[in-house]
């Protein structure tokens, strides 16, 4: 289990820009990931332009506890919306997250960066980092829409199965490495 985590993290670390390797946060990238977090921006794609009840239920079951975690941990509730246009996340929370991220050491930032890119959510990444959710729960959170699509239309072999496995592996690798970093301290 160590080898995939190490090689995945080393590959990710070598692909980061020089400023990120030196511990500087790319604030534009953080903003985009937080402002468009799947946990906060819940979009619905439907031919009939309605909200599929099963998807809404899955999103609420999986993502609402993450919203509550953020509120409890940081004292500020993230804005949750179904609107893409004119959406603004809570500026206090955005600033707080920026400050938090600037304190991360390079390897921790690498893991969080990987988790954010894979899960489509800074909130999911921080929940994994803080031990609120496991890698498996993070993968579930990252794959809500895909899981709903599979329930509705069936699994497309060679796409869904590979996408699910790749997502689970990336999240597990970053999660394991984060936990190893914490044990080191």
């Amino acid at each position: 289990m160590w080898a995939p985590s190490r090689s995945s993290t080393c590959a990710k670390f070598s692909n980061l820009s020089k400023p990120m390797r030196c511990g500087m946060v790319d604030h534009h990238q953080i903003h985009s990931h937080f402002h468009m977090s799947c946990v906060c921006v819940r979009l619905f794609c439907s031919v009939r332009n309605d909200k599929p009840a099963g998807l809404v239920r899955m999103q609420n079951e999986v993502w609402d506890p993450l919203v509550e975690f953020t509120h409890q941990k940081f004292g500020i509730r993230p804005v949750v919306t179904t609107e893409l246009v004119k959406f603004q996340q809570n500026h206090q929370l955005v600033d707080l997250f920026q400050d938090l991220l600037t304190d991360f050491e390079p390897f921790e930032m690498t893991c969080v960066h990987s988790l954010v890119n894979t899960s489509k959510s800074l909130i999911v990444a921080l929940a994994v980092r803080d031990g609120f959710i496991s890698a498996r729960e993070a993968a579930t959170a990252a794959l809500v829409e895909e899981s709903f699509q599979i329930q509705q239309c069936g699994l497309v072999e060679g796409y869904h199965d590979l996408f699910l496995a790749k997502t689970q592996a990336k999240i597990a690798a970053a999660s394991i490495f984060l936990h190893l970093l914490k044990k080191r301290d």
Side-chain angles (χ1 to χ4, degrees):
M1 192 171 317
W2 167 252
S5 298
R6 182 182 56 84
S7 63
S8 175
T9 303
C10 289
K12 185 71 178 166
F13 190 70
S14 67
N15 288 330
L16 289 177
S17 65
K18 184 173 180 169
M20 285 192 75
R21 283 196 307 270
C22 295
M24 295 168 27
V25 176
D26 180 350
H27 293 290
H28 176 71
Q29 190 171 22
I30 301 296
H31 271 257
S32 67
H33 284 302
F34 183 57
H35 285 290
M36 297 305 298
S37 170
C38 63
V39 172
C40 297
V41 181
R42 301 177 186 188
L43 300 179
F44 310 101
C45 296
S46 173
V47 176
R48 295 183 312 257
N49 223 11
D50 60 352
K51 297 177 182 178
L55 177 58
V56 171
R57 186 178 70 266
M58 287 176 73
Q59 289 174 333
N60 292 341
E61 287 173 1
V62 175
W63 293 340
D64 284 354
L66 293 165
V67 170
E68 190 57 33
F69 155 77
T70 305
H71 180 240
Q72 294 295 320
K73 173 89 178 166
F74 301 106
I76 303 169
R77 184 174 299 282
V79 176
V80 176
T81 185
T82 58
E83 299 293 323
L84 188 56
V85 181
K86 299 181 183 177
F87 167 67
Q88 289 290 319
Q89 189 49 262
N90 184 311
H91 291 291
Q92 291 177 311
L93 194 56
V94 172
D95 292 344
L96 189 142
F97 281 175
Q98 284 181 344
D99 292 343
L100 176 69
L101 291 166
T102 58
D103 291 338
F104 288 176
E105 66 166 46
F107 279 115
E108 185 177 26
M109 185 62 196
T110 300
C111 294
V112 168
H113 186 263
S114 181
L115 285 166
V116 167
N117 283 335
T118 306
S119 71
K120 306 171 292 244
S121 174
L122 178 59
I123 292 174
V124 170
L126 293 176
V128 170
R129 176 192 171 269
D130 290 350
F132 178 73
I133 60 173
S134 67
R136 182 171 301 211
E137 291 165 321
T140 298
L143 298 166
V144 168
E145 288 99 346
E146 290 81 1
S147 297
F148 179 75
Q149 185 181 50
I150 291 167
Q151 284 180 1
Q152 296 301 302
C153 304
L155 182 117
V156 176
E157 289 187 33
Y159 175 73
H160 286 124
D161 52 349
L162 297 176
F163 182 76
L164 296 174
K166 181 179 171 184
T167 300
Q168 292 165 344
K170 284 181 172 184
I171 289 174
S175 177
I176 290 167
F177 203 83
L178 266 176
H179 293 292
L180 290 173
L181 286 172
K182 284 188 177 214
K183 286 186 179 213
R184 177 193 69 177
D185 297 335

